[in-house]
Amino acid sequence: MTSEGSDADGLEPGTVRPGGRTARVREAVLRAAGDALAEHGFDGLDLADVARRAEVGKTTVYRRWSHPAGLVADLLSDMAEQSAPRADTGSIAEDLRANARLVVSTLTDARQGALFAAVIAATCDRRTAEALHRFYAVRIGEWSGCVEAAVERGELPVGTDPGEVVAAVSAPLYYRLLASGAPLDEAAADRAAAAAVAAARAGVFVR
């Protein structure tokens, strides 16, 4: 993930994966940033407050991240890395159902759901939007393997676009979160997955 500004070595904040004490500081700061985002949203994300929550020096936070958008970028990068791996059930219907239920579980979690809503609401900030786009590119790339395997098994037509299929699963779920306010539950997850599978089998996502 990248953001505006760079550290003393000329590297973008959030692009270095440190070890030892530095890794522990990063973990504490990202946890604190997630808590602050969930509570106050992006507009209320203050680096000094994050440093206080993480019990680290303000200069450490300002030197490494320099701007809230850089901190959000690093947080999303870490979340992508820590997310559960894709399912591998041997069935595209079951794989995408697992994907949909994971999305619902995340969006309805008290902390994670509020955090994602805060980040999405802040996409008027270019750097935050780019960080979010990279996060979803990582997750779609992870789950695209389910579609590729289904094509190899003959479950889906040759030429099916894996990314489009995976995106079609989560799109109606985010619509419920951000637009309609309709319930986000396992029934909604299962319908979203079933619709994506039916469309894929019909060749809708063939490139």
Side-chain angles (χ1 to χ4, degrees), residues 92-93 95-96 99 140 143-144 146-148 150-151 156-157 159-172 192-201 203-207:
I92 188 61
D95 287 349
L96 294 187
N99 174 260
I140 287 176
W143 283 84
S144 290
C146 297
V147 181
E148 294 165 355
V151 172
L156 299 178
T160 297
D161 188 319
E164 289 294 329
V165 176
V166 177
V169 175
S170 58
V197 170
R201 285 174 172 161
V204 172
F205 301 113
V206 172
R207 287 187 282 251

Short mmCIF file of all heavy atoms in Angstrom, two decimals, residues 92-93 95-96 99 140 143-144 146-148 150-151 156-157 159-172 192-201 203-207:
data_model
loop_
_atom_site.label_atom_id
_atom_site.label_comp_id
_atom_site.label_asym_id
_atom_site.label_seq_id
_atom_site.Cartn_x
_atom_site.Cartn_y
_atom_site.Cartn_z
N ILE A 92 -17.86 -25.02 -7.15
CA ILE A 92 -17.89 -23.56 -7.26
C ILE A 92 -19.05 -22.98 -6.45
O ILE A 92 -18.92 -21.91 -5.84
CB ILE A 92 -17.98 -23.10 -8.74
CG1 ILE A 92 -17.83 -21.59 -8.84
CG2 ILE A 92 -19.26 -23.59 -9.39
CD1 ILE A 92 -16.52 -21.05 -8.34
N ALA A 93 -20.17 -23.68 -6.40
CA ALA A 93 -21.31 -23.18 -5.62
C ALA A 93 -20.96 -23.08 -4.14
O ALA A 93 -21.26 -22.08 -3.47
CB ALA A 93 -22.52 -24.08 -5.83
N ASP A 95 -17.87 -23.01 -2.85
CA ASP A 95 -16.77 -22.06 -2.66
C ASP A 95 -17.29 -20.63 -2.58
O ASP A 95 -16.90 -19.85 -1.70
CB ASP A 95 -15.76 -22.17 -3.80
CG ASP A 95 -14.91 -23.43 -3.72
OD1 ASP A 95 -14.96 -24.12 -2.68
OD2 ASP A 95 -14.19 -23.72 -4.70
N LEU A 96 -18.16 -20.27 -3.51
CA LEU A 96 -18.67 -18.89 -3.53
C LEU A 96 -19.65 -18.64 -2.39
O LEU A 96 -19.74 -17.51 -1.90
CB LEU A 96 -19.32 -18.59 -4.88
CG LEU A 96 -18.36 -18.57 -6.07
CD1 LEU A 96 -19.09 -18.10 -7.33
CD2 LEU A 96 -17.13 -17.72 -5.81
N ASN A 99 -17.42 -17.72 0.35
CA ASN A 99 -16.95 -16.36 0.15
C ASN A 99 -18.01 -15.35 0.59
O ASN A 99 -17.71 -14.38 1.32
CB ASN A 99 -16.60 -16.14 -1.31
CG ASN A 99 -16.23 -14.70 -1.62
OD1 ASN A 99 -17.06 -13.95 -2.12
ND2 ASN A 99 -15.01 -14.30 -1.32
N ILE A 140 -9.90 -10.26 -4.19
CA ILE A 140 -10.47 -10.86 -5.40
C ILE A 140 -9.46 -11.81 -6.04
O ILE A 140 -9.81 -12.90 -6.51
CB ILE A 140 -10.93 -9.77 -6.39
CG1 ILE A 140 -12.20 -9.10 -5.85
CG2 ILE A 140 -11.19 -10.36 -7.78
CD1 ILE A 140 -12.70 -7.94 -6.69
N TRP A 143 -9.53 -15.14 -4.14
CA TRP A 143 -10.69 -15.99 -4.38
C TRP A 143 -10.89 -16.35 -5.85
O TRP A 143 -11.68 -17.24 -6.17
CB TRP A 143 -11.94 -15.34 -3.81
CG TRP A 143 -12.01 -15.48 -2.33
CD1 TRP A 143 -11.40 -14.68 -1.40
CD2 TRP A 143 -12.69 -16.49 -1.59
NE1 TRP A 143 -11.66 -15.13 -0.13
CE2 TRP A 143 -12.46 -16.24 -0.20
CE3 TRP A 143 -13.49 -17.57 -1.95
CZ2 TRP A 143 -12.99 -17.05 0.79
CZ3 TRP A 143 -14.02 -18.38 -0.94
CH2 TRP A 143 -13.76 -18.11 0.42
N SER A 144 -10.16 -15.69 -6.74
CA SER A 144 -10.29 -16.02 -8.16
C SER A 144 -9.88 -17.46 -8.46
O SER A 144 -10.34 -18.05 -9.44
CB SER A 144 -9.44 -15.06 -9.00
OG SER A 144 -9.98 -13.75 -9.00
N CYS A 146 -10.84 -20.03 -7.04
CA CYS A 146 -12.03 -20.90 -7.02
C CYS A 146 -12.65 -20.98 -8.41
O CYS A 146 -13.06 -22.06 -8.86
CB CYS A 146 -13.07 -20.33 -6.05
SG CYS A 146 -12.57 -20.25 -4.34
N VAL A 147 -12.72 -19.85 -9.07
CA VAL A 147 -13.33 -19.80 -10.40
C VAL A 147 -12.42 -20.50 -11.42
O VAL A 147 -12.90 -21.25 -12.28
CB VAL A 147 -13.59 -18.35 -10.81
CG1 VAL A 147 -14.25 -18.29 -12.19
CG2 VAL A 147 -14.48 -17.66 -9.78
N GLU A 148 -11.13 -20.25 -11.33
CA GLU A 148 -10.19 -20.89 -12.25
C GLU A 148 -10.27 -22.42 -12.13
O GLU A 148 -10.26 -23.13 -13.14
CB GLU A 148 -8.78 -20.40 -11.96
CG GLU A 148 -8.59 -18.92 -12.26
CD GLU A 148 -7.33 -18.34 -11.64
OE1 GLU A 148 -6.65 -19.08 -10.89
OE2 GLU A 148 -7.03 -17.16 -11.90
N ALA A 150 -12.86 -24.09 -11.10
CA ALA A 150 -14.17 -24.52 -11.62
C ALA A 150 -14.15 -24.61 -13.14
O ALA A 150 -14.77 -25.50 -13.73
CB ALA A 150 -15.25 -23.55 -11.16
N VAL A 151 -13.45 -23.70 -13.79
CA VAL A 151 -13.32 -23.76 -15.24
C VAL A 151 -12.56 -25.03 -15.64
O VAL A 151 -12.95 -25.74 -16.57
CB VAL A 151 -12.61 -22.49 -15.78
CG1 VAL A 151 -12.29 -22.65 -17.27
CG2 VAL A 151 -13.46 -21.26 -15.55
N LEU A 156 -17.70 -24.31 -15.18
CA LEU A 156 -17.97 -23.00 -15.78
C LEU A 156 -17.36 -22.95 -17.17
O LEU A 156 -16.39 -23.65 -17.46
CB LEU A 156 -17.38 -21.88 -14.91
CG LEU A 156 -17.93 -21.76 -13.49
CD1 LEU A 156 -17.21 -20.62 -12.75
CD2 LEU A 156 -19.42 -21.52 -13.48
N PRO A 157 -17.90 -22.09 -18.04
CA PRO A 157 -17.40 -22.01 -19.41
C PRO A 157 -15.94 -21.54 -19.48
O PRO A 157 -15.50 -20.73 -18.65
CB PRO A 157 -18.33 -20.98 -20.08
CG PRO A 157 -19.53 -20.90 -19.21
CD PRO A 157 -19.06 -21.21 -17.82
N GLY A 159 -13.01 -19.28 -20.49
CA GLY A 159 -13.00 -17.85 -20.74
C GLY A 159 -13.72 -17.04 -19.68
O GLY A 159 -13.77 -15.80 -19.77
N THR A 160 -14.28 -17.72 -18.68
CA THR A 160 -14.95 -17.00 -17.59
C THR A 160 -13.95 -16.12 -16.85
O THR A 160 -12.86 -16.57 -16.50
CB THR A 160 -15.59 -17.99 -16.60
OG1 THR A 160 -16.61 -18.74 -17.27
CG2 THR A 160 -16.22 -17.26 -15.41
N ASP A 161 -14.32 -14.87 -16.63
CA ASP A 161 -13.45 -13.92 -15.93
C ASP A 161 -13.56 -14.14 -14.42
O ASP A 161 -14.60 -13.84 -13.83
CB ASP A 161 -13.87 -12.49 -16.28
CG ASP A 161 -12.90 -11.45 -15.75
OD1 ASP A 161 -12.42 -11.60 -14.61
OD2 ASP A 161 -12.63 -10.48 -16.48
N PRO A 162 -12.52 -14.65 -13.78
CA PRO A 162 -12.60 -14.98 -12.35
C PRO A 162 -12.91 -13.76 -11.48
O PRO A 162 -13.73 -13.84 -10.56
CB PRO A 162 -11.22 -15.55 -12.03
CG PRO A 162 -10.69 -16.04 -13.33
CD PRO A 162 -11.20 -15.07 -14.34
N GLY A 163 -12.25 -12.64 -11.75
CA GLY A 163 -12.47 -11.45 -10.94
C GLY A 163 -13.89 -10.95 -10.99
O GLY A 163 -14.46 -10.52 -9.98
N GLU A 164 -14.50 -11.00 -12.18
CA GLU A 164 -15.89 -10.54 -12.33
C GLU A 164 -16.85 -11.42 -11.54
O GLU A 164 -17.82 -10.94 -10.95
CB GLU A 164 -16.28 -10.51 -13.81
CG GLU A 164 -15.60 -9.42 -14.62
CD GLU A 164 -16.02 -8.04 -14.19
OE1 GLU A 164 -17.17 -7.87 -13.73
OE2 GLU A 164 -15.20 -7.11 -14.30
N VAL A 165 -16.59 -12.72 -11.53
CA VAL A 165 -17.46 -13.64 -10.78
C VAL A 165 -17.37 -13.34 -9.28
O VAL A 165 -18.39 -13.23 -8.60
CB VAL A 165 -17.09 -15.10 -11.07
CG1 VAL A 165 -17.95 -16.04 -10.20
CG2 VAL A 165 -17.28 -15.43 -12.54
N VAL A 166 -16.15 -13.21 -8.77
CA VAL A 166 -15.98 -12.96 -7.34
C VAL A 166 -16.59 -11.62 -6.95
O VAL A 166 -17.24 -11.50 -5.91
CB VAL A 166 -14.48 -13.02 -6.96
CG1 VAL A 166 -14.29 -12.69 -5.49
CG2 VAL A 166 -13.92 -14.40 -7.26
N ALA A 167 -16.39 -10.61 -7.78
CA ALA A 167 -16.97 -9.29 -7.50
C ALA A 167 -18.49 -9.36 -7.49
O ALA A 167 -19.15 -8.66 -6.70
CB ALA A 167 -16.48 -8.27 -8.52
N ALA A 168 -19.06 -10.19 -8.36
CA ALA A 168 -20.52 -10.31 -8.43
C ALA A 168 -21.11 -10.92 -7.16
O ALA A 168 -22.28 -10.69 -6.84
CB ALA A 168 -20.93 -11.16 -9.64
N VAL A 169 -20.31 -11.68 -6.43
CA VAL A 169 -20.79 -12.25 -5.17
C VAL A 169 -20.93 -11.17 -4.11
O VAL A 169 -21.95 -11.06 -3.43
CB VAL A 169 -19.82 -13.35 -4.67
CG1 VAL A 169 -20.25 -13.84 -3.30
CG2 VAL A 169 -19.77 -14.51 -5.66
N SER A 170 -19.91 -10.34 -3.96
CA SER A 170 -19.91 -9.37 -2.86
C SER A 170 -20.68 -8.09 -3.17
O SER A 170 -21.13 -7.41 -2.25
CB SER A 170 -18.48 -9.02 -2.47
OG SER A 170 -17.76 -8.49 -3.56
N ALA A 171 -20.85 -7.76 -4.45
CA ALA A 171 -21.50 -6.50 -4.81
C ALA A 171 -22.88 -6.31 -4.17
O ALA A 171 -23.16 -5.25 -3.58
CB ALA A 171 -21.58 -6.36 -6.32
N PRO A 172 -23.79 -7.28 -4.26
CA PRO A 172 -25.10 -7.08 -3.64
C PRO A 172 -25.05 -6.99 -2.13
O PRO A 172 -25.93 -6.37 -1.50
CB PRO A 172 -25.91 -8.29 -4.10
CG PRO A 172 -24.91 -9.32 -4.47
CD PRO A 172 -23.73 -8.56 -5.00
N ALA A 192 -26.74 -14.28 -2.95
CA ALA A 192 -25.73 -13.60 -3.76
C ALA A 192 -24.81 -14.61 -4.44
O ALA A 192 -24.48 -14.46 -5.62
CB ALA A 192 -24.93 -12.65 -2.87
N ALA A 193 -24.40 -15.63 -3.70
CA ALA A 193 -23.53 -16.64 -4.28
C ALA A 193 -24.25 -17.42 -5.37
O ALA A 193 -23.68 -17.68 -6.45
CB ALA A 193 -23.04 -17.59 -3.18
N ALA A 194 -25.50 -17.81 -5.11
CA ALA A 194 -26.26 -18.59 -6.09
C ALA A 194 -26.48 -17.79 -7.37
O ALA A 194 -26.40 -18.34 -8.48
CB ALA A 194 -27.60 -19.01 -5.49
N ALA A 195 -26.75 -16.50 -7.24
CA ALA A 195 -26.96 -15.65 -8.42
C ALA A 195 -25.68 -15.55 -9.25
O ALA A 195 -25.71 -15.61 -10.48
CB ALA A 195 -27.43 -14.27 -7.99
N ALA A 196 -24.55 -15.39 -8.56
CA ALA A 196 -23.27 -15.29 -9.27
C ALA A 196 -22.94 -16.60 -9.99
O ALA A 196 -22.45 -16.58 -11.13
CB ALA A 196 -22.16 -14.92 -8.29
N VAL A 197 -23.20 -17.72 -9.34
CA VAL A 197 -22.93 -19.02 -9.95
C VAL A 197 -23.83 -19.22 -11.17
O VAL A 197 -23.36 -19.66 -12.24
CB VAL A 197 -23.14 -20.16 -8.94
CG1 VAL A 197 -23.09 -21.51 -9.65
CG2 VAL A 197 -22.07 -20.10 -7.85
N ALA A 198 -25.11 -18.90 -11.03
CA ALA A 198 -26.03 -19.07 -12.16
C ALA A 198 -25.62 -18.22 -13.35
O ALA A 198 -25.63 -18.67 -14.49
CB ALA A 198 -27.45 -18.71 -11.72
N ALA A 199 -25.23 -16.98 -13.08
CA ALA A 199 -24.80 -16.08 -14.17
C ALA A 199 -23.52 -16.60 -14.81
O ALA A 199 -23.37 -16.58 -16.04
CB ALA A 199 -24.60 -14.68 -13.63
N ALA A 200 -22.61 -17.09 -13.98
CA ALA A 200 -21.35 -17.61 -14.53
C ALA A 200 -21.58 -18.84 -15.39
O ALA A 200 -20.97 -18.97 -16.46
CB ALA A 200 -20.38 -17.93 -13.37
N ARG A 201 -22.44 -19.71 -14.92
CA ARG A 201 -22.73 -20.93 -15.71
C ARG A 201 -23.40 -20.59 -17.04
O ARG A 201 -23.23 -21.30 -18.04
CB ARG A 201 -23.61 -21.87 -14.89
CG ARG A 201 -22.85 -22.60 -13.79
CD ARG A 201 -23.76 -23.41 -12.90
NE ARG A 201 -22.99 -24.25 -11.96
CZ ARG A 201 -23.50 -24.77 -10.86
NH1 ARG A 201 -24.78 -24.57 -10.54
NH2 ARG A 201 -22.73 -25.50 -10.08
N GLY A 203 -22.67 -18.11 -18.82
CA GLY A 203 -21.71 -17.47 -19.69
C GLY A 203 -21.68 -15.95 -19.60
O GLY A 203 -21.02 -15.30 -20.43
N VAL A 204 -22.35 -15.38 -18.61
CA VAL A 204 -22.40 -13.93 -18.49
C VAL A 204 -21.01 -13.31 -18.32
O VAL A 204 -20.74 -12.21 -18.81
CB VAL A 204 -23.32 -13.54 -17.31
CG1 VAL A 204 -23.23 -12.03 -17.02
CG2 VAL A 204 -24.75 -13.93 -17.60
N PHE A 205 -20.11 -14.03 -17.66
CA PHE A 205 -18.80 -13.45 -17.33
C PHE A 205 -17.69 -13.96 -18.27
O PHE A 205 -16.51 -13.78 -17.95
CB PHE A 205 -18.44 -13.77 -15.89
CG PHE A 205 -19.43 -13.24 -14.89
CD1 PHE A 205 -20.21 -14.12 -14.14
CD2 PHE A 205 -19.63 -11.89 -14.74
CE1 PHE A 205 -21.14 -13.64 -13.23
CE2 PHE A 205 -20.56 -11.39 -13.84
CZ PHE A 205 -21.32 -12.27 -13.08
N VAL A 206 -18.06 -14.54 -19.39
CA VAL A 206 -17.05 -14.95 -20.36
C VAL A 206 -16.47 -13.72 -21.02
O VAL A 206 -17.21 -12.85 -21.48
CB VAL A 206 -17.65 -15.91 -21.42
CG1 VAL A 206 -16.63 -16.18 -22.53
CG2 VAL A 206 -18.07 -17.21 -20.77
N ARG A 207 -15.16 -13.65 -21.07
CA ARG A 207 -14.49 -12.47 -21.64
C ARG A 207 -14.64 -12.48 -23.17
O ARG A 207 -14.60 -13.53 -23.80
CB ARG A 207 -13.00 -12.50 -21.28
CG ARG A 207 -12.73 -12.17 -19.83
CD ARG A 207 -11.23 -12.05 -19.59
NE ARG A 207 -10.61 -13.37 -19.50
CZ ARG A 207 -10.14 -13.88 -18.36
NH1 ARG A 207 -10.21 -13.19 -17.24
NH2 ARG A 207 -9.59 -15.07 -18.34
#
